[in-house]
Amino acid sequence: MSIISLLQDTLLLFVVLMGLIGLITGSFLNVVIYRLPLMMQREWRSQCRSLLELDDPERTQDPFNLVKPRSRCPQCQHLIAAIDNIPVLSYLLLGGKCRYCKTRISLRYPLIEVLTCVLTAAVAWHFGFTLQTLFAAVLTWSLICLSVIDIDQQLLPDDITLPMLWLGLICNMFGLFTNIHSSLSGAILGYGVLWLIFMSYKLLTGKEGMGYGDFKLLAMLGAWLGWEMLPLIILLSSLVGAMSGIGLILFARHERAKPIPFGPYLAMAGWIALIAGDRLIGLYLGWATGV
């Protein structure tokens, strides 16, 4: 029996394998989450200097991207060896500290790795040994990246949302998650609905209630899941966002004037819609019609 046949016939084995792939990918996502905003800032500074016809010292510096330079301890600048970069396991063996200077390593790194592992395994369990699992895992990884970057920087990078929007449209050209008409309508309505809410709020209050990245994120989710999932995504994200905002203000002393990123709530709602959207809509319609 070939490995592919074994994975097709043994769902649990496939789920475990995908979970391990998710664990490894989670380690890479930590790199993306940290480096991509810095790469964007360097690019913005370079463009500004070019526009102002100023010298750009960063052009002569060593390359800084998702691959180079190698990861270092931010405190002692010692290179992190491969043995110390094994997802979760290295963190546990090192006691959550740098091997050399004993500076504490943020718990967020292994948590993102575990989260990526669990969500990837859940996707594999739901879709089984299909092409849907592969692309749904890619969508899941992008949503994790976008959520954490938005929490850190209040930024949803076009470098992720726009390619993923196009990938969703391409997937649905072949009917992977929905038909192409629903996908295209989802992308258009996803952007348009939040843009209308944004403009209405701005006209009424003179303030901007959300960023343009949120429009692109909902357009991305619409391209993947179709326009039918947009009401569910908007409802879930608004409910969770409102409850979280109230909780932060009441219990974490979050300043009312300080913005709360909406991207993580959209991403969370989008992932739930990916896994259980049809079931949730069916339950609601059954309740509404009394069936």
Side-chain angles (χ1 to χ4, degrees):
M1 180 181 292
S2 67
I3 295 177
I4 293 178
S5 298
L6 182 62
L7 293 174
Q8 285 178 320
D9 296 337
T10 313
L11 178 60
L12 182 59
L13 180 61
F14 177 62
V15 170
V16 171
L17 176 62
M18 288 300 298
L20 290 175
I21 292 173
L23 194 65
I24 296 169
T25 303
S27 181
F28 177 68
L29 295 189
N30 278 319
V31 176
V32 177
I33 289 164
Y34 173 73
R35 294 195 181 191
L36 183 57
L38 294 178
M39 290 163 56
M40 294 171 65
Q41 290 171 12
R42 287 166 67 103
E43 179 63 22
W44 294 335
R45 287 196 297 266
S46 179
Q47 291 176 358
C48 289
R49 290 191 180 104
S50 176
L51 183 64
L52 296 171
E53 299 182 350
L54 299 175
D55 291 335
D56 186 2
E58 291 184 356
R59 288 184 180 178
T60 60
Q61 293 179 357
D62 293 333
F64 184 85
N65 50 48
L66 298 180
V67 179
K68 296 181 178 179
R70 285 179 55 190
S71 297
R72 296 174 178 269
C73 171
Q75 183 66 29
C76 67
Q77 296 299 308
H78 201 287
L79 286 173
I80 298 176
I83 193 66
D84 294 335
N85 216 16
I86 302 172
V88 179
L89 183 61
S90 291
Y91 183 88
L92 295 175
L93 292 176
L94 292 171
K97 297 178 181 179
C98 172
R99 179 184 295 276
Y100 305 98
C101 66
K102 304 306 178 184
T103 298
R104 183 158 294 280
I105 302 169
S106 173
L107 183 61
R108 192 175 80 173
Y109 295 111
L111 287 180
I112 289 174
E113 292 166 353
V114 171
L115 176 66
T116 309
C117 169
V118 171
L119 296 188
T120 304
V123 163
W125 182 267
H126 179 74
F127 291 107
F129 190 82
T130 64
L131 199 57
Q132 285 177 304
T133 293
L134 173 63
F135 286 99
V138 173
L139 175 60
T140 299
W141 301 336
S142 71
L143 292 175
I144 293 172
C145 265
L146 289 167
S147 297
V148 183
I149 290 174
D150 200 21
I151 290 170
D152 286 346
Q153 309 288 340
Q154 295 191 0
L155 176 71
L156 292 167
D158 288 351
D159 291 16
I160 299 176
T161 53
L162 297 186
M164 289 300 298
L165 188 154
W166 284 107
L167 182 59
L169 291 173
I170 292 169
C171 286
N172 289 322
M173 285 179 63
F174 304 96
L176 208 59
F177 297 96
T178 186
N179 61 72
I180 186 59
H181 299 292
S182 177
S183 176
L184 186 58
S185 299
I188 295 169
L189 290 173
Y191 190 93
V193 166
L194 286 191
W195 181 84
L196 286 173
I197 293 173
F198 169 85
M199 291 304 298
S200 300
Y201 183 82
K202 188 174 182 179
L203 288 172
L204 290 172
T205 66
K207 300 177 181 179
E208 297 184 353
M210 63 182 70
Y212 282 77
D214 296 319
F215 313 163
K216 298 170 190 175
L217 175 54
L218 188 58
M220 182 189 102
L221 292 171
W224 278 81
L225 306 177
W227 69 266
E228 298 90 345
M229 289 296 173
L230 292 179
L232 176 65
I233 293 172
I234 293 171
L235 177 62
L236 288 175
S237 59
S238 299
L239 287 175
V240 176
M243 289 188 293
S244 298
I246 293 171
L248 287 171
I249 291 171
L250 293 179
F251 303 109
R253 297 182 179 179
H254 187 91
E255 297 180 10
R256 293 175 183 268
K258 187 176 180 181
I260 298 173
F262 190 52
Y265 305 118
L266 282 174
M268 187 187 311
W271 191 84
I272 293 172
L274 171 70
I275 297 297
D278 290 332
R279 190 180 310 167
L280 291 173
I281 291 174
L283 289 172
Y284 171 76
L285 292 176
W287 171 79
T289 58
V291 177

